[in-house]
Amino acid sequence: MMIEGWAVRVQKVEGERRRQELIAGDALDRTLHPRAEGSDLLIPVTGSPPGTERALFEEIQVPPTLPRHEQVGGIAIMQENDVSGAEEILKGRPSTHTVLCSEGAVKGEFRTKSFTTLAGIPTTRTTISEYGHRLIIDLSLAYFSSRLATERQRIHSYIAEGEVICDMFCGVGPFPIALSDRASWILACDKNPAAIHLLRENLLANNTGNVLPMLGDASHLGELFPDTFDRVLMNLPLIAIDFLPIADQITKPGATIHLYALQEQEGEYIDQIRSIILESTITERYLRSYSAGKWHAVYDIKKD
């Protein structure tokens, strides 16, 4: 719908400079879109200062403020059991098919969560897109964090063509699928059968043929698989450090290990890493805040 308002008429080439002047003078009408008219630009303004004219503008639609939630594919996750708020989210986000309430922290052997459906389709399964890849996930069956998408691209940028990689705790496969176009092949291990099932679906969905799914306990990798690797991923933040001797065992000299950890102070695991891998270069990186006084970090460990 078009709305009549006051406008300043300027040539298009002068449009941005004049708009900044109007912003500085607190005279820009931020509720209306500027409109081109031939070689001119009509900029909406508040009031009617000299040199203005009446013009029709398209109103800027301000999206409604929705209750706090995390969006994962077509699922919105709330921390509060707020049914009315869930209905608002469902109406305000057309691509959302389900609103869930998280019933607590990640728990159990397979790092899963429980959820209650507040609105929409009662499901914990959805599909997300991440840097050109399609990932099928089920939030109640296998752990997944979309917050590491940028981290996956960082690791991708480090990989040399033809590397052999092991993901010790692969989940539904976001790291292996993101890295597969540069690696020679990738061993993707997880002890959660549901995660491996979803991984197989995701490999098919992304036409990925150089990832080998393996259902098994990473603590036995040295016994179960005879090969050694150029790079190992250890994204099991609560206890990954316990598996570092295995990662050391299955990596070649000069290999890189990416150890993910939740910590309360900078460098919390450096001494422990050095006691296990005696000759190495360690780079610690902050990823994100996890909770009050605790953050998610990654240690890039380059074996000498």
Side-chain angles (χ1 to χ4, degrees):
M1 183 176 67
M2 302 294 282
I3 294 178
E4 190 177 40
W6 291 103
V8 171
R9 181 183 293 270
V10 298
Q11 290 188 334
K12 287 181 180 178
V13 293
E14 294 293 318
E16 182 58 23
R17 181 188 64 80
R18 187 71 178 104
R19 192 179 75 87
Q20 293 298 329
E21 290 177 353
L22 291 168
I23 291 173
D26 198 26
L28 181 71
D29 188 339
R30 298 174 184 270
T31 67
L32 303 173
H33 286 286
R35 180 169 66 83
E37 190 175 89
S39 61
D40 294 340
L41 183 69
L42 294 167
I43 305 175
V45 293
T46 56
S48 55
T52 59
E53 60 186 87
R54 298 294 283 176
L56 292 174
F57 294 101
E58 184 179 344
E59 188 176 14
I60 294 175
Q61 298 298 320
V62 180
T65 301
L66 298 175
R68 186 168 62 92
H69 66 282
E70 177 187 358
Q71 192 74 30
V72 181
I75 295 177
I77 305 170
M78 303 181 71
Q79 300 302 315
E80 298 80 24
N81 194 336
D82 179 2
V83 175
S84 62
E87 293 290 351
E88 287 181 44
I89 294 170
L90 206 60
K91 292 176 183 176
R93 286 187 173 274
S95 61
T96 298
H97 56 72
T98 301
V99 183
L100 302 175
C101 176
S102 173
E103 294 183 352
V106 172
K107 60 184 179 181
E109 183 180 15
F110 298 147
R111 300 182 297 156
T112 55
K113 279 187 175 185
S114 297
F115 299 92
T116 299
T117 302
L118 298 179
I121 301 168
T123 183
T124 52
R125 183 179 169 103
T126 189
T127 300
I128 71 162
S129 295
E130 184 177 292
Y131 289 93
H133 298 112
R134 180 169 169 261
L135 294 172
I136 303 161
I137 63 175
D138 191 317
L139 297 169
S140 67
L141 296 179
Y143 178 81
F144 174 80
S145 175
S146 58
R147 295 174 181 175
L148 293 183
T150 302
E151 171 64 7
R152 289 188 266 277
Q153 291 305 299
R154 181 183 76 88
I155 301 298
H156 182 276
S157 70
Y158 290 165
I159 295 175
E161 290 286 347
E163 283 191 17
V164 178
I165 300 172
C166 175
D167 187 342
M168 295 177 70
F169 317 103
C170 67
V172 303
F175 270 106
I177 288 170
L179 308 181
S180 62
D181 64 332
R182 297 187 66 86
S184 172
W185 71 276
I186 301 173
L187 178 65
C189 176
D190 205 286
K191 67 190 299 185
N192 180 352
I196 293 297
H197 179 77
L198 288 162
L199 166 63
R200 290 170 63 87
E201 285 193 67
N202 287 325
L203 295 177
L204 288 171
N206 292 278
N207 297 313
T208 303
N210 63 338
V211 174
L212 175 63
M214 178 178 175
L215 176 62
D217 189 330
S219 63
H220 300 301
L221 269 174
E223 309 158 26
L224 297 173
F225 212 83
D227 208 348
T228 53
F229 299 90
D230 300 300
R231 191 177 301 270
V232 166
L233 299 157
M234 305 181 70
N235 185 26
L236 190 63
L238 288 172
I239 58 171
I241 189 69
D242 297 339
F243 292 82
L244 189 57
I246 304 299
D248 184 30
Q249 180 185 347
I250 65 175
T251 45
K252 304 172 182 177
T256 300
I257 299 168
H258 303 283
L259 170 69
Y260 295 83
L262 296 180
Q263 59 187 33
E264 297 178 354
Q265 58 186 8
E266 187 176 351
E268 187 170 330
Y269 291 100
I270 285 181
D271 289 344
Q272 194 171 350
I273 293 169
R274 286 179 175 152
S275 71
I276 297 167
I277 303 179
L278 303 180
E279 301 293 334
S280 63
T281 302
I282 304 169
T283 304
E284 178 189 3
R285 299 176 186 276
Y286 171 91
L287 293 179
R288 64 186 180 95
S289 175
Y290 182 79
S291 61
K294 186 173 286 190
W295 67 89
H296 198 174
V298 57
Y299 294 87
D300 297 334
I301 307 162
K302 178 74 171 178
K303 294 175 64 173
D304 296 336

